[in-house]
Amino acid sequence: MKLRVVVLGAGFGGLELATILSETIGDRLDLTLIDKNDTFFFGFSKFDVMFGHKPADAVRVAYRNIAKPGVSFRQETVTAIDPDARRVTTNAGTYDADVVVVAMGADYDLAATPGLAEGGNEFYSFAGAERLRDVLPTFSKGRAIVGVAAAPFKCPPAPSEAALLLHDYLTSRGVRDACEIALVMPFGIPIPPSPATSTALLAVFAERGITFVPDRCVRALDPARQVAILDDASEMPYDLFLGVPKHCVPDVVAASGLIENGWIPVNPRNLETRFPGVYAIGDVATVGTPKAGVFAEGAARVVAAALVARAQGGDPPQPFDGAGSCYIEFGGDLVGRVDVNFLSGPSPTGTFTEPSVELVAEKEQFGSSRRKRWFGK
């Protein structure tokens, strides 16, 4: 009997899980990996597209390149999830499984921030980054705001990176002196688990004339007056708005009976939901870590170890430790790194590595190693 696994979502978590299970129990595995998209991209590659450094096709990897024993990819849209029966319905058929793993990520609710769709630009979706590639060249003077609409949101360093890379972009065009940049964040410091990283970012903001507005979210935009309205009712005028929309689970997950308080709660030891044989990893779950690919990948390793133990016998895995490294674009062609651990101790900890050219290469290796591991490219 082969272990029937259905994995919903082919991001960091789904790809890593499929890879490990194929490597370890491929001959006893029947894994179906389902995603509505035909290509994968790293979140950080959106900046390359947005600022015109690379064409969109250069940063996408086709899912058809997946060729792993025991794994089949299906480009389909999930229309229903029945966690009791471990049954998944798509626009193309129905899948019954021994194990279902929900790794569908977070969607964006632009409507939750009035005026954002009409008067601003979001840069968190690939389509949003592509649109901004055409919008940014038209901005040559005035006020730019990078603003977060709500927490939690994916990749907490990304708004800081956007502000710094916008500085570089405007400088390269010779228009930086005619522009102001402000960053609105719902945290008191840019990276709360790592005061050292935050101190370094705040110093660079000050050096480059970027205004940091802490402990605030953008509640709405008024496109007619071109002002952003913050959650304390204060207003900030803008000529260019780059927004991080409110995040939410995909609609099909919301309708599945899996969620509480907006997200899927899981056992932090093994990422299982309250439904036996149904797991959730990555941005769709709430487990005490930020929403970022590196944590989805770590969670996938824990689920994989649990399923391998189930298939082969053996001890259950060590609990998910919530550890990961995030690379941070500091501008000036330099990259820093923060190594964080959220679940091993009484409180989250973070260690900062200063920006360097060496970390630029390390970040590139991070991406290329996963392209090779997941896609053989």
Side-chain angles (χ1 to χ4, degrees):
M1 280 289 280
K2 293 192 174 185
L3 179 67
R4 297 175 305 162
V5 182
V6 173
V7 180
L8 308 180
F12 270 72
L15 289 167
E16 181 67 7
L17 179 62
T19 300
I20 295 174
L21 291 179
S22 176
E23 289 172 346
T24 51
I25 57 169
D27 57 339
R28 285 167 287 160
L29 180 67
D30 176 9
L31 187 149
T32 304
L33 180 61
I34 301 173
D35 200 288
K36 65 182 179 181
N37 300 300
D38 62 351
T39 52
F40 169 82
F41 60 89
F42 292 97
F44 55 72
S45 67
K46 294 195 296 286
F47 285 133
D48 287 326
V49 173
M50 175 173 155
F51 290 107
H53 302 315
K54 293 181 181 178
D57 288 347
V59 302
R60 292 181 181 272
V61 189
Y63 286 128
R64 66 172 179 272
N65 292 318
I66 296 174
K68 299 183 183 300
V71 175
S72 57
F73 174 76
R74 300 278 185 268
Q75 185 188 353
E76 298 171 10
T77 300
V78 178
T79 56
I81 303 167
D82 181 343
D84 273 316
R86 294 192 294 276
R87 178 175 295 125
V88 173
T89 306
T90 73
N91 61 329
T94 301
Y95 300 88
D96 290 299
D98 304 310
V99 174
V100 174
V101 182
V102 183
M104 296 179 71
D107 281 353
Y108 306 121
D109 184 2
L110 268 68
T113 308
L116 177 56
E118 303 85 359
N121 309 273
E122 60 82 15
F123 63 95
Y124 259 50
S125 73
F126 202 92
E130 286 189 288
R131 281 192 293 271
L132 275 161
R133 178 189 57 201
D134 300 323
V135 169
L136 288 175
T138 69
F139 177 70
S140 300
K141 63 178 181 178
R143 301 179 178 93
I145 296 175
V146 179
V148 178
F153 59 94
K154 290 193 269 191
C155 193
S160 298
E161 294 179 297
L164 290 166
L165 293 172
L166 180 61
H167 166 88
D168 282 3
Y169 172 80
L170 296 172
T171 300
S172 71
R173 289 178 46 214
V175 298
R176 178 64 178 94
D177 289 347
C179 303
E180 298 175 17
I181 302 174
L183 171 60
V184 180
M185 290 272 281
F187 312 138
I189 54 177
I191 312 292
S194 177
T197 308
S198 297
T199 297
L201 284 168
L202 291 170
V204 176
F205 294 160
E207 178 187 307
R208 296 174 192 180
I210 296 169
T211 302
F212 181 66
V213 181
D215 293 320
R216 294 271 74 91
C217 285
V218 177
R219 189 178 71 199
L221 299 184
D222 184 337
R225 294 191 297 131
Q226 281 196 287
V227 296
I229 302 162
L230 307 190
D231 53 6
D232 64 351
S234 63
E235 297 184 350
M236 295 177 65
Y238 71 89
D239 300 287
L240 173 70
F241 186 87
L242 307 180
V244 180
K246 181 183 179 183
H247 289 29
C248 59
V249 298
D251 289 343
V252 69
V253 176
S256 69
L258 283 164
I259 70 167
E260 292 176 17
N261 300 317
W263 305 97
I264 304 178
V266 293
N267 181 336
R269 289 189 63 85
N270 61 5
L271 292 310
E272 194 169 19
T273 70
R274 62 189 177 88
F275 296 91
V278 179
Y279 297 79
I281 57 176
D283 298 344
V284 76
T286 177
V287 71
T289 62
K291 298 187 182 302
V294 67
F295 300 108
E297 188 179 324
R301 294 190 195 106
V302 174
V303 174
L307 297 183
V308 169
R310 169 176 170 167
Q312 298 181 338
D315 297 329
Q318 291 295 308
F320 180 43
D321 61 8
S325 300
C326 291
Y327 296 96
I328 304 175
E329 295 284 345
F330 268 75
D333 297 321
L334 297 176
V335 169
R337 192 184 75 224
V338 58
D339 301 291
V340 286
N341 190 305
F342 282 86
L343 302 178
S344 294
S347 61
T349 58
T351 304
F352 178 55
T353 303
E354 292 280 347
S356 68
V357 174
E358 288 75 20
L359 285 176
V360 174
E362 186 177 300
K363 179 182 176 181
E364 177 57 37
Q365 170 62 20
F366 173 89
S368 61
S369 65
R370 281 149 181 81
R371 276 192 297 272
K372 183 175 182 180
R373 174 166 167 73
W374 296 335
F375 298 97
K377 295 183 75 65

